[in-house]
Amino acid sequence: MKMKYLVLLALFTCVGNSFAQQTPASKQTEAITIVGATAHLGNGEIIENSLIIFEDGKITQVMDATATKMQYRGRIIEAEGKHVYPGFIAPNATLGLVEIDAVRATDDEDEIGSMLPHIRSLIAYNAESKLVESMRPNGVLMGQIVPRGGTISGTSSIVQFDAWNWEDAVIKEDDGLHINWPSSFTRGRWWAGEDPGIKPSEDYQEDLLELEEFFTSAKAYLAGNNKKTNLAYDAMKNVFTGDKRVYIHVDGKKEILDAIDFKQKQEIEHLVIVGGYEAHKAIEELKENNISVLVQRPHDQPNSEDHDYDFPYKLAGILHNKGVLVALESSGSMERMNTRNLPFYAGTAGAYGLGKEEALKLITSNTAKILGIDDMVGTLEKGKTATLFISEGDALDMRGNILTHAFIQGREVSLETHQTELYQRYKEKYDSASK
């Protein structure tokens, strides 16, 4: 009987391990020196033969190895011929909020209601998501976790991708409020007997008025002595003080200009456009109001027959070259699994008007600046958190993006996932079949 229980216990342990994420890495206990790699600093600069040292989770040295006699410290990683990068950052992601789209119990990206600034994505974040785990082998080591739905979706937070739970994962808690801007056009509902074409929305001005009234009511509530608590209005406090950024998800030129007008009326200090398909038509207004843009992923088709076939590839470069602070986001169809392609989106933008090192900024330093975490991450720089990785080749090219080491806050994290396990399993199968 005792043997039976031992066998069952072993079986349950094996099954549990097959479904669970790897155990998060332990805290860094010794200094690590990376020597000889080409360091892409994330700010447009390169050090061909670099020396990088980090300890206690912080970068302590970044320099040219040929120009220094500094003594190496702790564990030494010889990386000649390889490349080292700051960890890539995925903004506007729903990683950890949905595991399987078809299983409702695993879908926690949306809540019932329209004005939901008090909904916090962080507490719903699943640190053990297999999708989150699968980001790391491509160098995507951090992300902004954003709720969806409603006019005001809720509040996002920024996390790192190797944690026991959301408390351990958080880098910046409740960093921004997300607004889905109404569209000034609507598509006719053919099933209701309407013309299926696109026409001006009769509800647009009414939707804007509703949004403005919510902001006005929240200000009045916070300015008064209210005995009755309103959680939605309470959540707006940091927006009005400027401590919380406002991310407006919008694409059309008219809507972008209306959003800029909204920023001025509501005296919003930090506003970011998300998506921004027609942001190139409002460049001067964006610059005048110090508004950044998280550009939609470039691997897409143009939305207008008037646009070049490669317009989505060029959009980030057009905005960047005109002086707008730009980063890349990856929302859209199959967005969670496609987030791992973030470096390749940047590589495409680099090939269409930016160049590799400027394109790298779109997923490192620019993203960190837009999210307000550039004092911690985004570049390989003394004093910043040691969240970085070593790649055998160009990390913005899927042929060279082959990671050998990855570190989050100085901790060396596993690059194995359920996908790499399946790859090895079937590789062995077909290797043996070909012999």
Side-chain angles (χ1 to χ4, degrees):
M1 183 63 71
K2 183 177 180 181
M3 181 58 69
K4 178 181 178 181
Y5 285 131
L6 290 174
V7 171
L8 287 174
L9 179 60
L11 175 62
F12 289 145
T13 300
C14 291
V15 171
N17 288 339
S18 69
F19 286 99
Q21 186 190 42
Q22 293 107 352
T23 301
S26 301
K27 185 177 180 180
Q28 183 181 6
T29 57
E30 67 171 335
I32 295 177
T33 299
I34 302 173
V35 61
T38 298
H40 303 261
L41 304 188
N43 59 4
E45 299 178 14
I46 298 176
I47 301 176
E48 294 291 349
N49 180 21
S50 67
L51 173 67
I52 298 173
I53 303 174
F54 54 95
E55 49 190 316
D56 297 325
K58 298 286 186 181
I59 299 174
T60 57
Q61 296 293 338
V62 179
M63 59 182 64
D64 189 335
T66 59
T68 181
K69 295 182 179 180
M70 176 167 287
Q71 186 175 1
Y72 301 165
R73 292 177 55 79
R75 175 187 167 197
I76 300 171
I77 300 176
E78 300 286 352
E80 291 83 358
K82 298 181 180 178
H83 301 256
V84 60
Y85 294 84
F88 299 152
I89 310 166
N92 189 35
T94 53
L95 292 166
L97 299 183
V98 183
E99 194 69 6
I100 304 173
D101 290 287
V103 180
R104 188 173 182 180
T106 73
D107 188 336
D108 205 8
E109 66 177 343
D110 191 6
E111 294 290 342
I112 296 173
S114 178
M115 303 295 183
L116 305 169
H118 55 299
I119 296 301
R120 304 171 63 228
S121 64
L122 182 61
I123 59 174
Y125 175 70
N126 175 20
E128 292 195 358
S129 166
K130 284 180 176 284
L131 288 170
V132 170
E133 179 184 84
S134 69
M135 300 298 115
R136 300 195 301 249
N138 280 12
V140 182
L141 306 181
M142 297 162 284
Q144 180 195 41
I145 310 305
V146 178
R148 300 284 190 245
T151 300
I152 299 180
S153 301
T155 299
S156 60
S157 290
I158 303 165
V159 301
Q160 50 85 7
F161 293 155
D162 181 63
W164 289 99
N165 49 46
W166 65 262
E167 290 98 332
D168 294 336
V170 66
I171 293 175
K172 186 173 183 179
E173 186 172 348
D174 298 338
D175 74 290
L177 182 77
H178 291 260
I179 299 174
N180 295 307
W181 197 260
S183 175
S184 62
F185 289 88
T186 185
R187 189 179 296 275
R189 301 169 297 174
W190 60 266
W191 61 89
E194 298 176 355
D195 182 352
I198 297 175
K199 58 184 179 181
S201 173
E202 297 177 357
D203 299 326
Y204 182 61
Q205 292 302 325
E206 184 178 334
D207 292 339
L208 292 189
L209 182 60
E210 182 182 359
L211 185 59
E212 289 179 0
E213 287 178 346
F214 180 84
F215 269 68
T216 300
S217 297
K219 286 181 179 178
Y221 169 87
L222 293 168
N225 296 316
N226 296 280
K227 295 181 180 179
K228 188 175 181 180
T229 299
N230 187 310
L231 295 177
Y233 292 160
D234 279 333
M236 296 294 292
K237 181 179 180 180
N238 287 346
V239 171
F240 299 134
T241 61
D243 295 324
K244 184 183 290 185
R245 283 164 165 72
V246 175
Y247 297 86
I248 293 185
H249 300 241
V250 59
D251 284 316
K253 176 186 175 182
K254 173 178 173 53
E255 290 86 344
I256 290 173
L257 294 177
D258 286 344
I260 294 173
D261 184 57
F262 181 78
K263 173 190 187 299
Q264 296 170 345
K265 286 181 180 178
Q266 301 299 332
E267 299 179 330
I268 298 171
E269 185 173 349
H270 301 291
L271 188 141
V272 179
I273 297 297
V274 182
Y277 184 79
E278 293 189 348
H280 64 295
K281 298 180 180 180
I283 287 175
E284 293 307 317
E285 292 84 355
L286 292 170
K287 290 167 62 177
E288 287 172 9
N289 291 275
N290 195 29
I291 296 174
S292 307
V293 181
L294 292 176
V295 176
Q296 65 183 52
R297 66 192 189 203
H299 291 184
D300 204 351
Q301 296 177 336
N303 292 345
S304 170
E305 61 184 15
D306 297 329
H307 287 154
D308 297 338
Y309 74 93
D310 56 358
F311 174 75
Y313 305 163
K314 300 186 294 186
L315 179 56
I318 292 170
L319 295 174
H320 173 84
N321 293 334
K322 290 292 185 178
V324 178
L325 181 60
V326 180
L328 292 179
E329 58 102 6
S330 58
S331 64
S333 176
M334 300 178 68
E335 64 180 73
R336 284 168 290 281
M337 48 288 291
N338 277 325
T339 300
R340 70 172 67 94
N341 292 325
L342 189 66
F344 313 135
Y345 298 155
T348 298
Y352 283 81
L354 278 179
K356 281 291 176 69
E357 297 309 312
E358 290 301 308
L360 178 62
K361 291 181 181 180
L362 302 184
I363 54 177
T364 55
S365 59
N366 283 11
T367 310
K369 289 175 185 176
I370 292 172
L371 301 185
I373 55 174
D374 54 310
D375 60 329
M376 296 181 280
V377 295
T379 57
L380 298 176
E381 187 177 342
K382 184 178 179 179
K384 291 196 176 181
T385 301
T387 299
L388 51 93
F389 65 88
I390 302 172
S391 174
E392 289 189 3
D394 181 356
L396 303 191
D397 186 328
M398 62 180 65
R399 294 168 299 180
N401 186 295
I402 304 171
L403 273 63
T404 59
H405 302 78
F407 302 88
I408 294 178
Q409 298 169 342
R411 300 174 292 109
E412 185 167 10
V413 300
S414 171
L415 295 174
E416 294 300 321
T417 73
H418 64 294
Q419 292 180 334
T420 59
E421 290 173 1
L422 287 172
Y423 167 77
Q424 291 298 334
R425 175 183 175 186
Y426 286 98
K427 182 175 183 296
E428 291 174 6
K429 173 185 177 181
Y430 290 107
D431 282 348
S432 62
S434 63
K435 293 178 181 179

